[in-house]
Amino acid sequence: MKVIGIYTKDFSLYHDLMDAMKAKGLDFIVLSNPDRIPSKVGVVITSSLEKKSVSCKNVVSADNFRRVMDAVDKALQILRGKEHYMEIVIGIDPGEYPGVALLGDGKVVQTWCLSSVDETVGLVERLLRDYNAEVKFIRIGHGSRVYRDRIIKGLSSLKLFIEIVDETKTSPQTGFSREERNKKAAVKIGATPGRRFAGIGGGKKPTKGEIRDVQRKSRILSKGRITISEEVARKVLEGKISLEEAVKEN
């Protein structure tokens, strides 16, 4: 099986690449001579200044990406031998720590567990930009309405086809860490057909239970100091403001 090769004399880039590769649990080879690339290396990550010296068909310049992790993702894409898909689906398990899965032509390409809505929106935007496909769309779970609607609102400028998926049966059984559960749920959501998104709130008014739940979360977020009003809770559920903004304004 082919692996990623790392070649650079840039000390800072070298350590950033080491951290990224280890964080993903990937096998790799550190190259000392750019003219002698082992046959098991399928792609080399280096800097744009050193790229010309690397004797390899597939070379990724890490400094051409916003993050080193993005360069590693691109190298993985090349390593898997597929840079163009007929269909790209991004599955999202909404929540406090959203799970995201990238599916290319029905196969899982990669999964993530993120720490915020903003980070999720940023990742989805990058995936849509970096991966080529004839058709691209998003499937997001119907639960965790506050987080779901905030993610959708963040992606609204993309004018992309979005499906809402019933995630009742997508949550994996116990025995997995939160990160693994969220990733697995995102994969199932991405692979499950849903209904076309009809606007934030779907035309439905927030229920009393949903309003109370948002108020409860406002107390948790403010460490018991604040309980936002029902009117403000409705705005949060409608995606007009975030829960964090609602707490700060009170």
Side-chain angles (χ1 to χ4, degrees):
M1 182 178 176
K2 298 283 187 179
V3 298
I4 294 173
I6 303 295
Y7 174 76
T8 183
K9 293 181 179 179
D10 183 318
F11 183 79
S12 178
L13 176 58
Y14 173 83
H15 281 279
D16 287 345
L17 285 168
M18 292 300 103
D19 290 343
M21 299 295 285
K22 290 174 182 176
K24 285 182 172 290
L26 299 172
D27 292 328
F28 61 94
I29 294 176
V30 176
L31 305 170
S32 58
N33 188 338
D35 290 324
R36 300 177 63 182
I37 308 298
S39 59
K40 69 180 300 183
V41 172
V43 58
V44 174
I45 305 178
T46 185
S47 68
S48 54
L49 290 175
E50 297 166 300
K51 182 177 181 178
K52 291 182 179 179
S53 66
V54 178
S55 299
C56 183
K57 178 182 177 182
N58 300 313
V59 182
V60 173
S61 299
D63 50 333
N64 286 341
F65 294 81
R66 290 177 61 187
R67 303 183 311 158
V68 167
M69 195 68 80
D70 297 344
V72 174
D73 287 343
K74 181 62 178 179
L76 280 172
Q77 185 182 352
I78 295 171
L79 201 62
R80 288 169 178 143
K82 193 158 186 175
E83 295 189 67
H84 184 85
Y85 296 87
M86 289 300 296
E87 179 183 86
I88 283 289
V89 179
I90 298 174
I92 304 173
D93 177 36
E96 187 175 0
Y97 298 94
V100 177
L102 176 66
L103 284 72
D105 294 338
K107 295 183 179 180
V108 178
V109 177
Q110 200 166 347
T111 59
W112 299 262
C113 183
L114 305 168
S115 59
S116 70
V117 167
D118 289 343
E119 191 178 1
T120 302
V121 171
L123 172 64
V124 172
E125 289 176 338
R126 178 175 63 79
L127 294 176
L128 293 171
R129 181 179 64 248
D130 292 350
Y131 282 81
N132 298 316
E134 299 297 321
V135 178
K136 301 178 182 180
F137 63 97
I138 296 167
R139 285 176 175 154
I140 186 167
H142 80 291
S144 300
R145 182 171 169 177
V146 174
Y147 293 101
R148 182 200 71 192
D149 286 353
R150 285 181 59 201
I151 291 171
I152 292 175
K153 185 177 181 181
L155 297 171
S156 60
S157 63
L158 299 177
K159 301 187 184 304
L160 204 67
F161 187 90
I162 298 177
E163 289 183 356
I164 305 296
V165 175
D166 183 350
E167 58 177 291
T168 305
K169 297 181 180 180
T170 63
S171 298
Q173 297 177 349
T174 57
F176 297 100
S177 67
R178 176 176 61 191
E179 179 178 346
E180 287 303 313
R181 286 198 305 271
N182 294 355
K183 287 180 178 180
K184 288 178 181 293
V187 170
K188 290 184 178 180
I189 288 168
T192 305
R195 56 180 174 81
R196 186 162 186 172
F197 174 62
I200 290 178
K204 297 180 180 179
K205 293 182 179 180
T207 66
K208 289 184 178 180
E210 289 173 330
I211 290 172
R212 285 196 296 269
D213 186 53
V214 172
Q215 290 178 308
R216 178 184 64 81
K217 288 177 178 176
S218 74
R219 288 193 293 273
I220 294 172
L221 188 61
S222 66
K223 297 181 179 179
R225 293 183 295 105
I226 295 169
T227 299
I228 61 175
S229 67
E230 290 189 8
E231 181 182 355
V232 174
R234 285 193 185 93
K235 290 182 179 180
V236 173
L237 286 166
E238 290 166 357
K240 294 179 179 178
I241 59 173
S242 69
L243 182 59
E244 291 81 359
E245 290 170 335
V247 170
K248 286 180 181 178
E249 289 177 3
N250 278 266

